[in-house]
Each structure stands twice: as structure tokens, then as C-alpha cells.
Amino acid sequence: MMEQRGRDPADTRDPRNQYPPELMRRFEMYFKPPTTTKPKVVRDVKADSIGNLVTVRGIVTRATEVKPMMAVATYTCDQCGAETYQPIQSPSFMPLVMCPSQECVTNKSGGRLYLQTRGSKFVKFQELRIQEHSDQVPVGNIPRSMSVYARGENTRLAQPGDHVAITGVFLPLLKTGFKQAVQGLLSETYLEAHSITLMNKTEDDELGNEELTEEELRSITDEGFYEKLAGSIAPEIYGHEDVKKALLLLLVGGVEQAPKGMKIRGNINICLMGDPGVAKSQLLSYIDRLAPRSQYTTGRGSSGVGLTAAVMRDPLTGEMTLEGGALVLADQGICCIDEFDKMADADRTAIHEVMEQQTISIAKAGIMTSLNARCSILAAANPAYGRYNPRKSIEQNIQLPAALLSRFDLLWLIQDKPDADADLRLAQHITYVHQHCRQPPTHFTPIDMKLMRRYIALCKKRQPVVPESLADYITAAYVEMRKEARVSKDTTFTSARTLLSILRLSTALARLRMMETVEKEDVNEAMRLMEMSKDSLQADKSSTTRTQRPADVIFSLVRELSTEGVTGRGGAGGVVRMAEAEQRCVSRGFTPAQFQEALEEYEELNVWQINQARSRITFV
């Protein structure tokens, strides 16, 4: 209105007083790369790419906040009230001072211009820093990195730790004024992003987030799918069936609970401890490749600051900022730590808070904050003496603090025992893999990585709950475990965290079956895994019981129950409740099927009798 006052409609307006096209534009235009273009490595983007559209692959190491960047500056004159527009093309600009409108020029009133932020146009701006993959680095070099400028809708597409392919125009960064004088003749380069695509970690394809088809779901969830999924984890590695099942549950994760300000983690932490040469590091690197978000570090090569967060000075603004470490980058993913026992004690304490509270609290250089680190930790370690020494106790062999061990849901001890048959099969397996670069043919075809990733992502959406009917069963089993730990001196540390571990493992199993409630079989399998992980620790102690058949051990357990004579459990007449006996046997690592076989076998031998309702066992 003020602009049109006293002006002839036929009068030609100054171009700076007209609406610039940038202000009126309601769309953004980006170039899409041709499908035939191959992504380049960061170090291959050289002078011939300047001004061209290039596609670069890498991992995002830094992403700044999204800030508004001025695209069109709008001024108003204090004398004539005319609006003046100044489109900005370069990184810096010189504000207009004198009003260029016809009225001010004719009257020579010398109107001054004032910047109006409400009338100006701002676009979203974010700076990313990408680094090349470690497998693309030539011998003896360190990884190169590159700055990427993202504008508009290309912002907030990638977080630190993501694997991306970015298409954009490679340009030199021109600086003016004082910065140019400081810079001299050198020029920085950057990539003007046009499209950002999230990639899978290993293959050269995009991150698959499409739904699974009915046929794919059927191929996964057919008979014995739990064993099939576990067998598809690192199929080239021989054996370790239970360890692979535990790793599968680690990938799926349990359900997180947050009752009124308190937080109970759902992530499962596993420690693999074993003799040299039992493929611990291979399992770790496979999980690192399979998980959509993961970080791989070693104990000696990482410090406490490198794992948590470091305070850095931001090169752009000059202020102190936090640079996230491995645990922060692996948020909502998995952090694999190899050579866990070689880590310095001061650095190892940095992990304590992450493993239970899932946060990292920092008070450094005036920055007081709490960072999220909701990651599962998969650690691999050697026993204290290099190899497991059977003559020493478990505590002397492990030599990790109890505060740390109780935070691991499962602690596996993988021993390398000489056994003629197993050694022969292992040797044949290794030589076959070495010759043909694939695993030997098995009774099932392993599920490929892409399909597993998508199925695990589907499982994670489920939130199964523990029904009321199972609560008593779980508590009774936990009390039984505590009792055993009190009786036997040489066991691992059992605390309330063990109970939470059983709940986490059973909810992960329910997720794997795509169910909304936890069933008794899930709890039994969770307790069997706990028992097997403890059993692996006491394998040398139970060498005498190892030779016994499962039926004989079950018989001795039921016999124990009858002699206990606890009211309601057993009595003077040697009567044992079926449910009590089954619970005792399952908590010791036997399956319900083995329990039923033992019952029938000893009933035929006329050692005990079972009533018609199959609820009581009476010794003859």
C-alpha cells in the first residue's frame, strides 16, 4: 500500500523494488543422478569434478544443527516506506544502506534502509562431514573427509554414523574480505548436496525399508525358524549354536519399560569370553556388518573419551561443542568391543553407566549434559591367563569386576577342548570354507543378510508383555537360581539383574515369533540360555555329570525334591508335584521334551508312578 502511494501505474519500477523470483518461488529444484553413475570414493573427487554432478559414498561423522540461512534480504526505507529486496547468492553479503527507490532519489531525501527479518526469506541449512569407508583407504593412509552443504528439504536426512551416498555439485568455497586475506591463495572445497540416500553397510544398495511380502515371511517363519535364523548368523563359522541364538536375541532386543520416571533398559548385553582361536572376533565383525547401526572398536585402541564424548572446538563458530564417541554413534544400535580384557580400568568404567542407565553424563568445559547411548554392548575377551585355566576359580579366570559382570545379561565362556570327533568336523568345515569361500551345504539354506535385516526391523516394532500367569513361574525360577548360587561357591554373580535378564530374553523371543504376549516356552528358552552360559563356565567342574544321560540327571533332581520334604512340594511318602519337578528341571537347562522322556522311561522301570491326571509323581 505504502509502495503504491503517489505512484503512476505506468511508471517503471526499479528492479530492486520488484519482488525477486527467489521470494515468490514455492518449490526447490534438485538434480537426480543418472542410474548408471557409479559412486566415487572421497579421495577420487578431484579437480576434474569441479562444477560437475558427482555421487560420493561415505559415513557421516558430523552433522551440525539446522540453521536458517538468508536467501532474500528485505529492507524498508524510513523516509518513503518503499520495500527493497536483495537476493543473496554468495556465502557473505554487503547490506544495502541508501534507499534506491525513485521517490528518494528524486527528492534527494537520503532515506536509510532497515532490514526486516519478517519480510526476508530464509532456507534451512545444515553442514555434514562425510568420511570414506575404512575398506576404501589405500595402504598406509588415513581416511579422507569432505564437507557437504545441505539446503532445504535435504537437511535432517542423515545422522552421524549413517552410511550415505550423496549426489551434488563439487565447488570451491570462495571467501571474501578479511577471511580471504587470512586464507591466502588456497581455497576450500565443498559438495552442494542435491540428493542424500541412506545405504546399507556392506552392499551397494539403498537401505531397504519396504514391507516383507507374504512369501518372504513364510520362508522365514516355517518350521524350526528359530534355529534357522540363528544358523543364518555367520554360517561360515562352525558350531556355537547357542551363542548364535543369544546373538540373534541381542539383534532383536527386549522391550524397554519406563514406569513413572524410572527406566528399565530393553537392550541385551553379551560378553563372549574364550580361548584364542574360537572365532570370537569373527562373530563380532559379522554382527557389526549385519546390524543397521553399529560401531566396532577394540579395547586397546579406544580411550574412555573416544567411547563416550570429547569436547572439541567447532571450526566454524569457534565455540566448544561435544563430539560423540563410539557409544553415542551406536545409539539405537550395537557397539562391538573386541579385546575387552586389554582395556585400561579407567576407560572401562566409562561403560558402566551406558550398560545400565543407557546415558552418558558429562560435565566438561562448561558443558553439562546427558547424551543418549541406547546401545547393546557385545564384548569379546580372553581369560586372564590367555587360556582358561581349569585349576583356578571362575573369578580368577575372568578378572573383571562384579559390577561390570552383573551388567552383562549373558556371559559365555567358549572353551577349546580337544575332542577327536568335533576336531575332525571342525577341520573339514574350515578347509571347505577355505576352498570354496562359502559354508558347506546344510539341511537348510541360510537367510541372506538383507532379508534378515528387514525381518529384525519388523520384529522390533512389536511390544510383547509378560502375562500375570507367568509372573509366579518366573519368580520361583529366580529364587531357585539364587538358592543354587548360595549353595555352590564357584558360580558367577547372581543378582536382581539376572531376573531382568530373563525377562529381556523372553520378550526378545516373543518379538522374534511376532507375538504380543510372552509364553512359557519363551521363559524356558531364556532360562535354558542363561543356564547354558553358566554351564559353559562350569564345564570342567561337571565333567562327571557331563557323562550322565539327561534322564539320569532329571531323575536325581526329582529325587532331591522328594527328599527335601518341603510342605506342599514333597512329603514323607515321596510324592512330588509334576509342575514343581518340571520347573526345577527346566531351570537347570533341560527341555520339557527331555523331562517327559525321563518320566516315561523311569515309569516303565517301575521306579515311580504317575497319577491319571499327570499332576503327581509317587516314588515306589
Side-chain angles (χ1 to χ4, degrees), residues 50-333:
I50 285 194
N52 296 345
L53 198 68
V54 288
T55 304
V56 184
R57 272 199 73 180
I59 178 168
V60 180
T61 53
R62 228 172 122 250
T64 61
E65 293 174 36
V66 176
K67 291 185 175 168
M69 185 184 193
M70 196 180 275
V72 179
T74 304
Y75 304 93
T76 53
C77 174
D78 61 348
Q79 295 293 326
C80 65
E83 281 190 346
T84 305
Y85 305 100
Q86 182 189 15
I88 298 158
Q89 309 292 351
S90 60
S92 57
F93 79 109
M94 180 62 78
L96 300 176
V97 180
M98 303 305 290
C99 178
S101 72
Q102 195 69 41
E103 201 170 318
C104 278
V105 172
T106 311
N107 297 342
K108 291 189 177 143
S109 56
R112 307 205 44 101
L113 294 177
Y114 290 95
L115 184 66
Q116 297 293 324
T117 48
R118 288 185 68 179
S120 303
K121 184 181 181 184
F122 293 88
V123 292
K124 290 181 276 189
F125 175 80
Q126 186 181 27
E127 187 187 359
L128 306 173
R129 195 150 190 83
I130 62 166
Q131 188 178 306
E132 62 186 339
H133 288 276
S134 52
D135 51 353
Q136 298 165 337
V137 182
V139 181
N141 289 323
I142 59 167
R144 295 262 179 95
S145 54
M146 174 192 277
S147 292
V148 178
Y149 290 172
R151 289 188 173 88
E153 294 305 308
N154 279 331
T155 54
R156 293 195 181 94
L157 289 183
Q159 279 90 32
D162 287 346
H163 294 254
V164 291
I166 299 180
T167 304
V169 184
F170 187 57
L171 295 168
L173 184 63
L174 300 170
K175 290 186 177 173
T176 53
F178 174 70
K179 283 188 181 173
Q180 191 180 24
V182 173
Q183 190 181 20
L185 302 172
L186 301 176
S187 179
E188 298 280 324
T189 54
Y190 70 98
L191 192 71
E192 182 74 52
H194 279 254
S195 107
I196 296 176
T197 316
L198 293 180
M199 305 289 279
N200 267 338
K201 189 168 288 185
T202 45
E203 297 92 24
D204 295 337
D205 58 347
E206 295 181 17
L207 200 59
N209 49 10
E210 64 272 8
E211 286 292 311
L212 287 165
T213 60
E214 288 287 327
E215 196 177 316
E216 285 174 330
L217 263 174
R218 211 175 302 117
S219 71
I220 295 175
T221 55
D222 56 359
E223 195 61 41
F225 82 105
Y226 176 47
E227 283 76 17
K228 188 176 174 182
L229 275 168
S232 303
I233 290 178
E236 296 83 14
I237 295 170
Y238 174 75
H240 298 326
E241 287 84 7
D242 282 335
V243 178
K244 288 180 183 180
K245 283 178 183 174
L247 292 178
L248 178 66
L249 297 185
L250 172 113
L251 285 165
V252 175
V255 178
E256 190 175 291
Q257 304 286 349
K260 294 250 173 74
M262 189 177 153
K263 190 175 166 195
I264 303 170
R265 70 178 163 93
N267 293 325
I268 295 166
N269 300 322
I270 295 179
C271 181
L272 305 176
M273 184 167 278
D275 296 340
V278 289
K280 296 187 299 294
S281 299
Q282 290 289 351
L283 281 169
L284 252 69
S285 59
Y286 187 88
I287 294 290
D288 177 50
R289 289 200 305 277
L290 178 61
R293 262 186 98 83
S294 68
Q295 287 293 321
Y296 185 92
T297 69
T298 58
R300 264 278 161 248
S302 53
S303 62
V305 171
L307 284 170
T308 53
V311 177
M312 310 269 289
R313 193 175 288 281
D314 192 354
L316 282 175
T317 57
E319 61 190 28
M320 300 297 255
T321 56
L322 282 176
E323 190 88 13
L327 294 168
V328 180
L329 289 179
D331 189 25
Q332 302 281 27

Side-chain angles (χ1 to χ4, degrees), residues 344-357:
D345 288 340
D347 299 334
R348 210 186 286 135
T349 49
I351 306 175
H352 283 228
E353 187 191 356
V354 176
M355 286 177 75
E356 205 55 56
Q357 273 71 42

Side-chain angles (χ1 to χ4, degrees), residues 371-479:
L371 303 172
N372 279 329
R374 295 157 295 192
C375 61
S376 303
I377 287 178
L378 175 59
N382 290 108
Y385 306 98
R387 280 184 71 106
Y388 191 87
N389 187 348
R391 291 178 191 82
K392 306 261 184 189
S393 69
I394 293 173
E395 280 84 359
Q396 288 169 317
N397 269 300
I398 295 172
Q399 282 197 359
L400 288 174
L404 188 64
L405 286 180
S406 69
R407 285 169 158 84
F408 282 113
D409 298 299
L410 290 172
L411 173 69
W412 285 93
L413 186 105
I414 311 167
Q415 269 184 290
D416 188 15
K417 290 184 180 168
D419 177 2
D421 298 339
D423 290 347
L424 179 67
R425 285 198 299 273
L426 176 66
Q428 286 169 345
H429 183 99
I430 291 171
T431 45
Y432 185 93
V433 171
H434 209 276
Q435 283 173 326
H436 302 89
C437 283
R438 58 188 167 85
Q439 77 274 12
T442 49
H443 59 280
F444 70 92
T445 51
I447 304 162
D448 70 320
M449 262 192 184
K450 274 193 255 179
L451 190 59
M452 271 192 78
R453 258 192 217 113
R454 283 161 60 199
Y455 183 69
I456 287 167
L458 194 65
C459 291
K460 282 186 169 181
K461 292 177 183 167
R462 300 283 167 141
Q463 300 289 329
V465 291
V466 180
E468 283 286 325
S469 54
L470 278 181
D472 294 342
Y473 180 64
I474 295 169
T475 47
Y478 169 67
V479 171

